[in-house]
Amino acid sequence: MKLLILLSVLAASAIASQKRYDGYQLFQVTPKDAASYDALARLSDSEVYDFWTDLRTIGHSTDIMVPPAYVSLFVDLMHAYSMEYRVKMVDVQTVLDMARDEQVAVPRVGSPRYSVTWDNYYDFNAITAFINEIAAAHPDKVTVSSIGKTFENRDMPLVKISTGGTGKKAIVVDGGIHAREWISPAFVTWLINELVENYAAHPQYVDNVDWYIMPVINPDGYQFTHDTNGDRLWRKNRKPNAGIGGVPCIGTDMNRNFGFHWNEGGSSANGCSDTFHGGAAFSEIESQNVRDAILAVAGQAEMYLTFHSYGQYWLTPWGYTSALPDDYTQLYTLAVSAVNKLTAVYGTQYTIGSSTNVLYVASGGSDDWAKGGAGIPFSYTVEMRDEGTFGFQLPARQILPNNEEVWEGIKVMAESLF
């Protein structure tokens, strides 16, 4: 108990020392024609403006965080192109502080069974401890291995959940590819716990399917969002790159780095951009490790699920083109069934469709590669809560509601393989 309190205090101190976003504003902007869309597209390739949601098509809004020194210029640009806009967050740091204070204030009752609970967010070290603990407690169902090392020499854990037997289909799950999307590892670790700790309540989900789960596939970036000298809103991995114009930068967007139609739109060649696609497909050791781990089980795997935030979307391939997969009707129908069950829990609405047609072009994504490269038939990206009120700072009080509703959708997905 004393240790948990101390860890909470240390976490609060660490977050307080991170990069600050005082005066940063989050704008929701809607381009109305080709000229205004092109103006935003030029901004998206700059490291000055942080596009929390990638630029969509004309008539659809996008969320852009603007530094205080650029707010006036940004507003002038909106007026020059007669773009609709509104301020969603007047001061981003205030929202970050509120989320931090809620975490620190969470009361502890008794001693938790594991290093994580789901009334709070945890760093990579705590997540690693949790999966090792649950494997030790359930050696008959859980096996933990490493798929390789990151750039900063962290192990990338893989959790296999199985009751044994042969001929089973498998589901591959990952989270945390974008570092700042904290609800993603919070859901994926909860999923591990639900499948194992509550096995007796629903044994069919493990008896009939093998699960290969990677809770954080960007460990360096994710840990950086928790570190004392880190950045809560960091997105990419942490390997330095050449940048642009001789200015070195750090990080590649791993979800633009996979080798299926890599660099065919929706990514950047600017190493300082949040959507930098890397110097080549699979240039990053982390995406190489994920690729190899998935290929090792691709013959068994029938489904790939990757968890992100935010926006509340259940997305199918493709991300590189508006064309649809040949089996899109099957993909879409299953997603509708899953989302119907999800929505029935708390009324949360999700949008369903292919990534490009619902959102935007984004080539080099893991979901496209899982289907088109690894040959896994059912591939989905799930963008969880919320729709932008809190953005990447989803309050800790929403972790469990989010997880409970998404679980209902996952049950439908798993049952389709029985």
Side-chain angles (χ1 to χ4, degrees), residues 177-254:
I177 193 170
H178 287 146
R180 61 193 179 185
E181 297 170 9
W182 282 9
I183 189 60
S184 172
F187 171 74
V188 176
T189 51
W190 185 93
L191 175 64
I192 293 169
N193 189 75
E194 182 65 25
L195 290 169
V196 176
E197 286 289 314
N198 290 334
Y199 166 80
H202 38 63
Q204 67 272 28
Y205 298 114
V206 179
D207 290 346
N208 294 317
V209 178
D210 287 343
W211 299 77
Y212 296 91
I213 302 177
M214 295 171 279
V216 186
I217 60 173
N218 180 9
D220 296 346
Y222 180 73
Q223 186 59 40
F224 187 64
T225 65
H226 288 267
D227 283 347
T228 303
N229 60 343
D231 180 351
R232 172 63 186 88
L233 296 179
W234 187 259
R235 171 181 166 106
K236 302 184 287 182
N237 73 354
R238 293 295 298 163
K239 189 182 81 173
N241 63 68
I244 192 168
V247 179
C249 285
I250 294 177
T252 292
D253 182 351
M254 287 173 54

Side-chain angles (χ1 to χ4, degrees), residues 40-62:
L40 291 181
R42 288 192 294 272
L43 294 185
S44 70
D45 203 36
S46 165
E47 60 270 25
V48 170
Y49 301 95
D50 187 350
F51 280 62
W52 283 20
T53 57
D54 288 354
L55 185 59
R56 298 174 63 187
T57 54
I58 294 169
H60 290 88
S61 63
T62 186

Side-chain angles (χ1 to χ4, degrees), residues 89 95 98-99 102-103 106 117-121 182-184 186-187 190 309-312 342 345-350 384-407:
M89 295 184 189
V95 179
M98 290 171 61
E102 179 176 332
Q103 277 192 261
V106 171
T117 58
W118 290 276
D119 54 8
N120 221 329
Y121 293 105
W182 282 9
I183 189 60
S184 172
F187 171 74
W190 185 93
S309 73
Y310 58 93
Q312 298 169 197
L342 182 159
V345 181
Y346 293 110
T348 307
Q349 300 295 314
Y350 271 59
M384 297 181 290
R385 292 191 185 191
D386 60 6
E387 292 183 291
T389 300
F390 296 101
F392 304 114
Q393 296 76 243
L394 189 71
R397 65 181 179 273
Q398 290 196 38
I399 296 174
L400 279 175
N402 174 84
N403 295 354
E404 290 164 353
E405 67 191 10
V406 175
W407 166 240

